[in-house]
Amino acid sequence: MKAMSRSSAPSQRQLRVGELIRRTLSEVLARGDVHDPELNALSITVGEVRTSPDLKVATAYVLPLGGRGAEDALEALKRNRGELRRALSKKVDLKFSPELRFVIDQTFDRMDETRRLLAQEDVQRDIARPDGDGG
Protein backbone atom coordinates (compact mmCIF):
# COMPACT_ATOMS: atom_id res chain seq x y z
CA MET A 1 0.00 0.00 0.00
CA LYS A 2 1.39 3.37 -1.00
CA ALA A 3 1.81 5.89 1.82
CA MET A 4 -0.03 9.15 1.29
CA SER A 5 2.05 12.29 1.22
CA ARG A 6 1.33 14.61 4.11
CA SER A 7 3.08 17.53 2.45
CA SER A 8 0.96 20.65 2.46
CA ALA A 9 3.00 22.26 -0.29
CA PRO A 10 1.06 22.62 -3.53
CA SER A 11 2.23 20.68 -6.59
CA GLN A 12 3.62 22.43 -9.67
CA ARG A 13 0.33 21.64 -11.42
CA GLN A 14 -1.69 23.27 -8.62
CA LEU A 15 0.54 26.35 -8.78
CA ARG A 16 0.27 26.58 -12.58
CA VAL A 17 -3.52 26.18 -12.60
CA GLY A 18 -3.92 28.59 -9.68
CA GLU A 19 -1.94 31.28 -11.49
CA LEU A 20 -3.91 30.71 -14.70
CA ILE A 21 -7.19 31.08 -12.78
CA ARG A 22 -5.86 34.18 -10.97
CA ARG A 23 -4.96 35.91 -14.24
CA THR A 24 -8.25 34.94 -15.87
CA LEU A 25 -10.38 36.09 -12.91
CA SER A 26 -8.43 39.37 -12.78
CA GLU A 27 -9.08 39.90 -16.48
CA VAL A 28 -12.80 39.09 -16.21
CA LEU A 29 -13.21 41.44 -13.23
CA ALA A 30 -11.17 44.25 -14.82
CA ARG A 31 -13.16 44.12 -18.05
CA GLY A 32 -16.52 44.02 -16.25
CA ASP A 33 -17.63 40.82 -17.99
CA VAL A 34 -20.11 40.06 -15.18
CA HIS A 35 -23.70 41.30 -15.42
CA ASP A 36 -23.68 42.93 -11.98
CA PRO A 37 -23.24 46.72 -11.93
CA GLU A 38 -22.26 46.65 -8.25
CA LEU A 39 -19.44 44.17 -8.88
CA ASN A 40 -18.33 45.97 -12.05
CA ALA A 41 -18.08 49.25 -10.12
CA LEU A 42 -15.45 47.72 -7.82
CA SER A 43 -11.76 47.45 -8.58
CA ILE A 44 -10.78 44.08 -7.11
CA THR A 45 -7.28 42.66 -6.91
CA VAL A 46 -6.93 38.89 -7.07
CA GLY A 47 -3.69 38.37 -5.18
CA GLU A 48 -3.53 34.59 -5.28
CA VAL A 49 -5.59 31.54 -6.17
CA ARG A 50 -4.97 28.24 -4.38
CA THR A 51 -6.44 25.07 -5.78
CA SER A 52 -7.30 21.80 -4.08
CA PRO A 53 -5.10 18.81 -5.05
CA ASP A 54 -7.85 17.53 -7.40
CA LEU A 55 -8.24 21.05 -8.91
CA LYS A 56 -12.00 20.98 -8.27
CA VAL A 57 -11.95 23.88 -5.78
CA ALA A 58 -10.19 27.19 -6.33
CA THR A 59 -9.91 29.67 -3.47
CA ALA A 60 -9.27 33.23 -4.64
CA TYR A 61 -7.67 35.68 -2.22
CA VAL A 62 -9.13 39.06 -3.12
CA LEU A 63 -9.01 42.65 -1.93
CA PRO A 64 -10.80 45.73 -3.26
CA LEU A 65 -8.63 48.68 -4.22
CA GLY A 66 -7.67 50.56 -1.07
CA GLY A 67 -8.97 47.72 1.11
CA ARG A 68 -12.24 49.55 1.80
CA GLY A 69 -15.56 47.76 1.36
CA ALA A 70 -13.95 44.32 1.54
CA GLU A 71 -17.07 42.61 2.91
CA ASP A 72 -19.29 44.18 0.22
CA ALA A 73 -16.84 43.05 -2.46
CA LEU A 74 -16.81 39.55 -1.02
CA GLU A 75 -20.62 39.41 -1.05
CA ALA A 76 -20.73 40.62 -4.69
CA LEU A 77 -18.20 37.97 -5.72
CA LYS A 78 -20.09 35.23 -3.89
CA ARG A 79 -23.36 36.38 -5.45
CA ASN A 80 -21.79 36.11 -8.93
CA ARG A 81 -19.68 32.98 -8.45
CA GLY A 82 -21.76 31.00 -10.99
CA GLU A 83 -21.27 33.57 -13.73
CA LEU A 84 -17.58 33.92 -12.85
CA ARG A 85 -17.19 30.13 -13.03
CA ARG A 86 -18.84 30.06 -16.47
CA ALA A 87 -16.57 32.88 -17.70
CA LEU A 88 -13.57 30.99 -16.35
CA SER A 89 -14.60 27.73 -18.08
CA LYS A 90 -14.85 29.56 -21.44
CA LYS A 91 -11.34 31.00 -21.13
CA VAL A 92 -9.42 28.23 -19.35
CA ASP A 93 -9.10 24.72 -20.76
CA LEU A 94 -9.53 22.46 -17.73
CA LYS A 95 -11.21 19.08 -17.40
CA PHE A 96 -13.46 20.51 -14.66
CA SER A 97 -14.37 24.11 -14.02
CA PRO A 98 -13.48 24.52 -10.35
CA GLU A 99 -15.88 25.61 -7.66
CA LEU A 100 -14.88 29.18 -6.80
CA ARG A 101 -14.45 30.36 -3.24
CA PHE A 102 -13.51 33.88 -2.25
CA VAL A 103 -11.73 35.11 0.88
CA ILE A 104 -10.25 38.46 1.85
CA ASP A 105 -6.51 38.60 1.21
CA GLN A 106 -4.78 39.38 4.52
CA THR A 107 -1.26 39.53 3.01
CA PHE A 108 -1.00 43.32 3.12
CA ASP A 109 -2.23 43.47 6.72
CA ARG A 110 0.40 40.91 7.73
CA MET A 111 3.11 42.86 5.89
CA ASP A 112 2.09 46.08 7.67
CA GLU A 113 2.18 44.30 11.04
CA THR A 114 5.63 42.86 10.26
CA ARG A 115 6.92 46.33 9.32
CA ARG A 116 5.47 47.76 12.53
CA LEU A 117 7.15 45.07 14.62
CA LEU A 118 10.49 45.53 12.86
CA ALA A 119 10.34 49.28 13.46
CA GLN A 120 10.07 48.89 17.25
CA GLU A 121 13.04 50.30 19.14
CA ASP A 122 13.95 47.08 20.96
CA VAL A 123 13.83 45.07 17.73
CA GLN A 124 15.99 47.64 15.95
CA ARG A 125 18.47 47.44 18.80
CA ASP A 126 18.59 43.63 18.50
CA ILE A 127 19.04 43.81 14.73
CA ALA A 128 21.89 46.34 15.08
CA ARG A 129 23.74 44.23 17.68
CA PRO A 130 26.78 42.50 16.13
CA ASP A 131 26.77 38.68 15.99
CA GLY A 132 28.34 36.95 18.95
CA ASP A 133 27.58 39.79 21.38
CA GLY A 134 26.33 38.16 24.56
CA GLY A 135 24.06 41.00 25.14
Side-chain angles (χ1 to χ4, degrees):
M1 197 188 279
K2 186 178 174 182
M4 290 187 58
S5 171
R6 295 196 186 274
S7 172
S8 63
S11 69
Q12 285 299 313
R13 185 165 180 242
Q14 283 176 275
L15 293 171
R16 242 187 348 265
V17 170
E19 179 58 18
L20 182 60
I21 292 170
R22 186 197 69 77
R23 281 193 310 239
T24 306
L25 273 178
S26 293
E27 179 184 302
V28 167
L29 291 170
R31 287 199 333 221
D33 289 349
V34 179
H35 297 94
D36 183 336
E38 185 181 328
L39 182 59
N40 290 335
L42 300 170
S43 181
I44 297 174
T45 300
V46 183
E48 181 182 8
V49 173
R50 295 182 191 165
T51 61
S52 61
D54 63 3
L55 305 178
K56 290 187 177 182
V57 177
T59 303
Y61 292 81
V62 298
L63 192 65
L65 189 64
R68 290 180 182 81
E71 291 303 320
D72 293 338
L74 204 56
E75 282 305 311
L77 288 165
K78 287 178 181 179
R79 193 171 54 242
N80 290 284
R81 82 173 77 212
E83 189 173 351
L84 288 166
R85 185 177 186 181
R86 281 188 295 281
L88 187 66
S89 69
K90 288 178 187 175
K91 297 175 185 295
V92 178
D93 187 27
L94 294 172
K95 188 173 183 178
F96 301 100
S97 181
E99 173 191 332
L100 296 175
R101 297 179 182 168
F102 299 97
V103 295
I104 299 300
D105 190 346
Q106 303 289 330
T107 305
F108 295 107
D109 291 342
R110 287 194 304 270
M111 285 175 25
D112 288 344
E113 177 63 10
T114 301
R115 282 191 197 104
R116 187 190 67 73
L117 289 170
L118 287 172
Q120 290 178 353
E121 189 177 314
D122 53 341
V123 174
Q124 285 295 313
R125 188 175 51 247
D126 289 346
I127 291 171
R129 186 179 315 154
D131 284 350
D133 185 15

